[in-house]
Amino acid sequence: MGMSALYGDADRSESIATIHAALDAGVTLIDTGDFYGMGHNEMLIREALGTASAGSREKALISVKFGALRDPDGGWSGYDGRPAAVRNFAAYSLQRLGTDHIDVYRIARVDPDVPIEETVGAIAELVEAGHVRHIGLSEVGAGTLRRAAAVAPISDLQIEYSLISRGIEDAILPTARELGIGVTAYGVLSRGLLSGHFGGDRKLAADDFRGMSPRFQGGNLRHNLELVERLREIAGQKGVSVAQLAIAWVLSRGEDVVPLVGARHPDRLAEALGALDVTFGGDELAAIERAVPPGSAAGERYPAAQMAHLDSEH
């Protein structure tokens, strides 16, 4: 997402170089949304895949979120999960991506006016037609997850999960495991907050989402950066970066949890991939839990208006 929108300016050549570096390193999952820059991100991925080495390109799996409604000024107008809209969104994504199928397709947020059974049923029809390979979900609660899984096989649930966003552990993660549904965890670095590179005096661009995020505001930010400093001490003792510690913690949650990393530059990607070599002993995990216990973050993960769209929070 950050390569196309909501995190300030991004460099196109750097973005493509980062995707190439990820593929060359063995990364196989590329996650996007058709509303990231109103189609810009899908076309960027098409360009990157078209210029990647043949071997890495063939292994790439593309996960697409759909359903968000935008306006010409970049505003948000809700979500559309009607079956006709699902087919329409998919047709445009296939064209922008330049492919005959989407590997994982999911609505970004549940449309409150359309039963999830209808939305998932429409994706299942796309699977039957060969346009989609697997059905995913995003930010749904345990009850909705059960309803969706009763309609068609669900491959995975994409949802925020990090050291400071652990709400899924109460009911959502156990339900996903009961149903055999994997988790792709986004926000593992909490939009850069847990990267170890975000300073309290950093000036954000006018179009940077974090300027409106409660966790990046005033006293909340100061408190949350204090949590980061606790992690920095543990990371230093282990000889890794704060970002590597935070990503490795998500990796430690289980083989059914796959972290999504939103790197925009090859150097940040390289740092993130270093987390693959980080493992924890029981004492180390306990130290991390003491430093950042569940619920210790200040501020919600989204502004109130966006929190209202999260089925996972209701």
Side-chain angles (χ1 to χ4, degrees), residues 119-133:
T119 302
V120 169
I123 305 175
E125 291 176 358
L126 291 172
V127 172
E128 186 175 352
H131 302 305
V132 169
R133 294 282 170 84

Side-chain angles (χ1 to χ4, degrees), residues 4-60:
S4 297
L6 300 177
Y7 284 89
D9 293 337
D11 183 278
R12 189 179 192 85
S13 61
E14 282 279 293
S15 296
I16 292 174
T18 303
I19 295 173
H20 286 172
L23 294 170
D24 290 342
V27 172
T28 55
L29 177 63
I30 298 178
D31 180 75
T32 186
D34 63 9
F35 50 92
Y36 291 174
M38 282 73 83
H40 175 276
N41 203 245
E42 289 179 317
M43 292 187 288
L44 180 74
I45 289 170
R46 177 178 182 168
E47 182 179 350
L49 291 178
T51 53
S53 63
S56 61
R57 182 174 68 247
E58 291 167 0
K59 294 177 182 177

Side-chain angles (χ1 to χ4, degrees), residues 28 80 85 91 107 137 149 159 161 193 220 229 232-233 251 268 271 286 289 308:
T28 55
D80 193 343
I107 191 164
L137 292 169
I159 195 162
Y161 189 32
L193 190 56
N220 288 349
E229 290 310 306
R232 195 185 304 278
E233 181 176 349
L251 281 165
R268 290 286 188 257
E271 179 185 15
E289 291 278 342

